[in-house]
Amino acid sequence: MARRNDEVEALLAEYADLVQITGGDAFKARAYEKAARAIGGYHADVAELDVDGLRQIPNVGRSIAEKVAEYLRTGTIFMVEEARARVPAGVRELTAIPTLGPKKAMTLYRDLHISSVDQLVDAIKQGRLRDLRGFGEKTEERLLHGVELLRQAGDRILLSTATDLAEEIVGELSGVRGCVRCGYAGSLRRMRETVGDLDVLVAAERSAPFMEAFTRMPGVAEVIAGGEKKTSVRTTRGVQVDLRVLPPHSWGAGLQYFTGSKAHNIRLREMAVRHQLKLSEYGLFDAESGDVVVSETEEEVYARLGLPWIPPTLREDRGEVAAGLRGELPELVRTTDIRGDLHTHTDLSDGLAPLEEMVAAAAERGYAYYAVTDHAPNLYMQRMTDEKILAQRERVRELDRRHRGMRLLHGTELNIDAEGGVDWPGEFLEGFDLCVASVHSYFDLDRAAQTRRLVRACENPHVHVIGHPTGRRIGRRPGIDADLDAVFEACARTGTALEINAHPDRLDLPDEEIMRARRHGVKFAVDSDAHAALHLPYLRYGVGTAQRGWLTKDDVINTWSLRRLRGFLRKEGARAA
């Protein structure tokens, strides 16, 4: 069963938004935001904790702990229901737009009686927003872009949410008697950043036991359609899951077919036709006789078409078939290639766990090195000081002496200001092993200004990695508008790596930009951006995104030996320039 932490986190985050919408105490809203994040990242299932146990979670005081306990006991929190009743449903619909904050949503409702996304679009087209204070032409452009993002996302869920659900279902069905094989397919297997419906496959002689077990699983809200070969359900979270049961001898063909993508499969079917064959979910058949040629494994299907097995993360019809025919498919980076994490946080800034806990969790993952990179002072909410970060450095050095099998690096995540400057002067930055520089503010600058600030950050000899380079939050905030090719050229010229931030709501750089950056000769760092020990495994999603960008381990600096990594971090080329 899934932990209850995620739903509690979502509820408290919603309440924080409701407080802001109604003009409530900003400190109260911030307290609930922090508590929500802390609960989401806590290692234990909150359903197993009483009030005293809940109070052990960072940023969860008695009042919030009692309300969480109330929710776990009754399924509701009176205070949240009361706040929901005060906020019109239309305003809450508007706040789903990534570029529209809660206060402006309330202004639109109060002053223009806008209570739906369609009404907002009509009002923008009619120019009605321009008379409102704080709403100009640029605001209208951002809102329309936000609406477009919202409509594109639809009912899609984050990669991590889809993975957790799919792995839970596969685990349950694998235990049903008669299961030969079980796994998930579709866009999830291709590691797309968001997923619509889930596709689960079972290889078995009889389908009935699996269909019955599937429809009776906890979390199934309704059965959409049932049949001998396919059953579709909707979960309590609103996710549609399709289960297909295949004959064991058709497993490979079915897995290939239902993994997709559609465009990739069209390419394979075209190749099959040229070989006088026919490809379907049941196998590769002789077009004239109808006899099955191969079907049991994906490798056999690809080989019969004259191709090597193509990793699912490449199956997007972006040149993978042609590369396979030429024998030029890359040997993709794997999670097991990662030797260390170069972007993580502790409770010294906005993390949820102390330094010692994060280091111990990293050591358990078998890393050769591990970097702590808490926020620098210009991110106002962190209240970082020189004294705090230097004291942490001493603790890192002490722990480093204890962890003989894992070297510790002391770093920081700097804030790139509007002009491309960073928090501390060069002489202070000299003391860090690693500096990640990220955009945390000024998201609305024009294209030229955004490009200039990123290029200048790359040119800083003390900046080693540009963190989450576009600044996007999937489904919540679009990436900044910058000339990324100019940024990629600057990274390649100065020896500055670009981060592939593995946090599921970032996955930044996106895969298509990774492919472009690689052509410029850029190197990358795949990092978890962990704010709790529970976040360290997010790295798998970053590696999946790196694979979708065709990266090998030579492209990723944290697959390198510590000696080679330290050479890269010296940025000799940048200093010489």
Side-chain angles (χ1 to χ4, degrees), residues 107 121 200 224 229 270 272 292 360 389 406-407 434 497 547:
T107 299
V121 172
V200 177
I224 300 171
K229 297 178 181 179
E270 290 172 348
V292 63
I389 203 74
M406 182 178 74
R407 296 274 64 83
L434 169 72
Q547 290 181 346

Side-chain angles (χ1 to χ4, degrees), residues 7 18 39 49 54 188 242 252 298 337 427 431 517 562 566:
E7 60 190 85
L18 292 172
I39 287 172
L49 304 177
L54 291 166
L188 175 56
D242 299 330
E298 284 192 319
D337 294 324
E427 57 269 23
L562 180 59
R566 286 192 185 279

Side-chain angles (χ1 to χ4, degrees), residues 79 97 181 229 309 415 431 479 509:
M79 178 184 68
I97 300 172
R181 293 186 181 184
K229 297 178 181 179
W309 179 78
N415 306 284
L509 276 178

Side-chain angles (χ1 to χ4, degrees), residues 8 131 418 448 512:
V8 173
D131 294 333
E512 292 184 352

Side-chain angles (χ1 to χ4, degrees), residues 64-76:
I64 293 177
E66 289 174 346
K67 291 175 177 63
V68 172
E70 175 189 351
Y71 174 74
L72 295 171
R73 186 176 64 254
T74 67
T76 61

Side-chain angles (χ1 to χ4, degrees), residues 462-527:
H462 305 288
V463 171
H464 306 107
V465 180
I466 301 297
H468 43 77
T470 76
R472 72 167 184 173
R473 304 295 290 267
I474 298 172
R476 294 165 56 192
R477 183 175 69 208
I480 59 175
D481 181 17
D483 180 352
L484 291 181
D485 284 303
V487 176
F488 299 157
E489 189 280 329
C491 285
R493 170 170 51 84
T494 62
T496 307
L498 285 173
E499 182 177 67
I500 301 172
N501 189 293
H503 196 287
D505 72 352
R506 286 191 185 274
L507 297 181
D508 184 12
L509 276 178
D511 55 11
E512 292 184 352
E513 305 299 350
I514 293 170
M515 295 178 74
R516 287 171 53 201
R518 184 173 184 260
R519 289 193 284 269
H520 282 270
V522 174
K523 296 299 182 183
F524 304 83
V526 180
D527 300 323

